[in-house]
Amino acid sequence: MEKRQADSTVTDNVKDCLELLEIVNDVKPTQNTEVCRQQEAQLLREPWQHPLLSPYPVEEFELPTSLQLQELPLFPQWHLPLKVMTSLMVSTFLYTLLRDVLQPLVTQSRNDSYKIPILVMNKVLPWTSITLLATVYLPGVLAAILQLCRGTKYGHFPGWLEKWMCVRKQLGLLSFLLAALHAIYSLSYPMRRSYRYKLLNWAYQQVQQNKDDAWVEDDVWRMEIYVSLGILGLGVLAVIAMSSLPSVSESFNWREFQCIQRTLGYLALLLCTTHTLVFGWRKWVEPKHYVWYTPPSFILASVLPAAVLLVKMVLSLPCLDRRLEQIRRGWERPHSQ
Ligand code: HEM
């Protein structure tokens, strides 16, 4: 899908360029001049030779004088994914701010605003990242359900689903970026001054309580497991992100590409969801985490990915999987439109 997507991006760019050539030459599509036709033929033959499609930096003075760089569309494939990411980040930020900063301020007059730059951000980033990752695999699952219901692969998907499927690569790359930032934020925890003060306070309290050992076996295991799962998840995401680079993906055949994007993709989603669930551990049932009757962020963050994985598992049941395979090879249920 992503390969077809890359091809269609080049075609779109060529189309944009052709339209631009028409603007530059000031001709309508119906009244092409000989010059314009020659330029178009050259563009279709060797698109990379054209300054607008060249993979190398192009200076504005290299372009025809009548052509303005500003007329070119700017990252059109990224508009929708960036909008989705921004709205998710804003909503998760407000939710976390309400629970982690406003609630202590209102109920205990405690100023916890120092949490905003690192601790709040480090909930916003992974929450948005895992949600974006789930939205990469959700349209595939919806498309499979639609094909099963229709009993054929011939038939258009709704426009919104097609549009969604076309931006999966961008959604995945944004998810990877946020996950990488989350990992760096997480690893910075022990460097913070606030953490050092907290550690000193805990040690002092421990002395006061006459405890000589702070080791909590349960908590140790929880952290070892969820950090390890997070690192593995990030590693798999990195492999998928690298495999979507055109120069790398061109070296794979279709089956290899599918294997990396699909199998490793679901593996990454599974690892990251388990990482979140293990991070939650028993906090799911502890009432103190339900601040102002709102569920903790890790519960909300794991709902969508867990649902996608669950539906995928159901679709992988042999009876449904076999039928889907047949449909994808061209089989049609009698009387299906
Ligand atoms: C090197 C890799 C990673 C490390 C070291 C790591 C570490 C952590 C840590 C320390 C927390 C607890 C944060 C807190 O105390 O608030 C956490 C939570 C979380 N992580 Fe990761 N993580 C990694 C990768 C990932 C990846 C790849 C994802 C998914 C895209 C992810 C998703 C989450 C989520 C959703 C939470 C729960 C945040 C919340 O709502 O409280 N992590 N991780």
Side-chain angles (χ1 to χ4, degrees):
M1 186 66 209
E2 276 85 347
K3 229 174 192 174
R4 239 184 294 141
Q5 170 73 36
D7 291 346
S8 72
T9 313
V10 173
T11 322
D12 284 351
N13 284 346
V14 172
K15 271 194 215 139
D16 287 340
C17 253
L18 287 176
E19 275 170 25
L20 259 159
L21 277 176
E22 277 155 13
I23 298 169
V24 173
N25 292 316
D26 196 21
V27 285
K28 292 197 175 64
T30 44
Q31 49 179 123
N32 279 358
T33 61
E34 186 53 34
V35 177
C36 189
R37 258 198 302 278
Q38 278 172 9
Q39 284 176 337
E40 280 186 14
Q42 163 77 10
L43 186 59
L44 288 169
R45 224 177 17 251
E46 293 170 325
W48 55 91
Q49 295 288 4
H50 195 278
L52 298 180
L53 295 172
S54 161
Y56 307 106
V58 172
E59 298 299 337
E60 207 153 347
F61 61 78
E62 292 178 62
L63 295 169
T65 42
S66 47
L67 190 63
Q68 295 292 309
L69 268 184
Q70 287 80 348
E71 289 172 44
L72 286 172
L74 205 55
F75 308 114
Q77 298 276 332
W78 289 85
H79 290 180
L80 180 63
L82 284 172
K83 273 185 206 155
V84 173
M85 184 187 81
T86 313
S87 18
L88 279 172
M89 285 188 81
V90 170
S91 5
T92 51
F93 177 78
L94 292 176
Y95 187 83
T96 315
L97 191 75
L98 177 91
R99 282 174 46 91
D100 292 8
V101 180
L102 275 182
Q103 195 270 350
L105 189 69
V106 172
T107 57
Q108 303 156 42
S109 305
R110 201 177 72 219
N111 183 1
D112 276 354
S113 51
Y114 78 91
K115 289 184 176 173
I116 296 174
I118 302 264
L119 297 178
V120 170
M121 277 310 286
N122 203 27
K123 284 190 178 178
V124 172
L125 291 170
W127 188 354
T128 311
S129 167
I130 202 165
T131 310
L132 288 177
L133 192 60
T135 62
V136 174
Y137 296 96
L138 185 57
V141 162
L142 293 179
I145 295 174
L146 213 63
Q147 286 180 332
L148 274 176
C149 294
R150 286 177 176 171
T152 175
K153 73 167 182 176
Y154 305 106
H156 283 290
F157 291 129
W160 57 267
L161 189 55
E162 279 195 3
K163 211 170 167 191
W164 189 354
M165 284 176 130
C166 287
V167 293
R168 283 181 298 175
K169 177 175 163 179
Q170 286 78 2
L171 289 170
L173 287 174
L174 289 176
S175 164
F176 172 61
L177 169 72
L178 300 187
L181 289 177
H182 159 62
I184 299 172
Y185 269 80
S186 299
L187 298 176
S188 79
Y189 273 16
M191 297 175 204
R192 292 169 310 131
R193 192 155 288 271
S194 59
Y195 180 79
R196 290 185 206 166
Y197 287 141
K198 280 209 162 177
L199 213 59
L200 279 174
N201 291 348
W202 287 328
Y204 180 69
Q205 281 163 15
Q206 202 183 310
V207 172
Q208 278 193 324
Q209 288 162 9
N210 222 1
K211 270 208 252 169
D212 56 6
D213 190 3
W215 188 274
V216 181
E217 188 76 14
D218 199 43
D219 228 24
V220 169
W221 274 103
R222 177 181 82 96
M223 188 142 189
E224 304 289 311
I225 296 173
Y226 85 71
V227 171
S228 171
L229 287 169
I231 294 170
L232 290 175
L234 188 67
V236 178
L237 280 180
V239 173
I240 303 170
M242 277 189 290
S243 77
S244 67
L245 291 172
S247 55
V248 179
S249 65
E250 273 160 19
S251 66
F252 298 131
N253 65 33
W254 180 248
R255 196 157 169 227
E256 289 163 346
F257 186 75
Q258 280 275 87
C259 175
I260 292 180
Q261 294 284 325
R262 198 182 281 171
T263 319
L264 286 190
Y266 278 108
L267 176 65
L269 189 61
L270 180 67
L271 286 169
C272 296
T273 312
T274 324
H275 162 74
T276 315
L277 296 177
V278 177
F279 163 71
W281 206 250
R282 286 206 210 101
K283 291 187 208 162
W284 292 76
V285 286
E286 290 173 4
K288 68 170 181 197
H289 294 291
Y290 289 78
V291 171
W292 275 344
Y293 303 104
T294 56
S297 45
F298 67 84
I299 293 189
L300 297 179
S302 44
V303 170
L304 188 65
V308 172
L309 286 170
L310 204 72
V311 180
K312 178 66 189 167
M313 261 155 54
V314 173
L315 288 173
S316 306
L317 291 175
C319 53
L320 293 177
D321 190 45
R322 220 174 302 127
R323 180 45 51 90
L324 255 177
E325 200 55 46
Q326 287 173 332
I327 291 175
R328 284 175 183 166
R329 288 200 182 136
W331 178 88
E332 283 188 279
R333 190 192 302 137
H335 310 301
S336 55
Q337 352 89 341

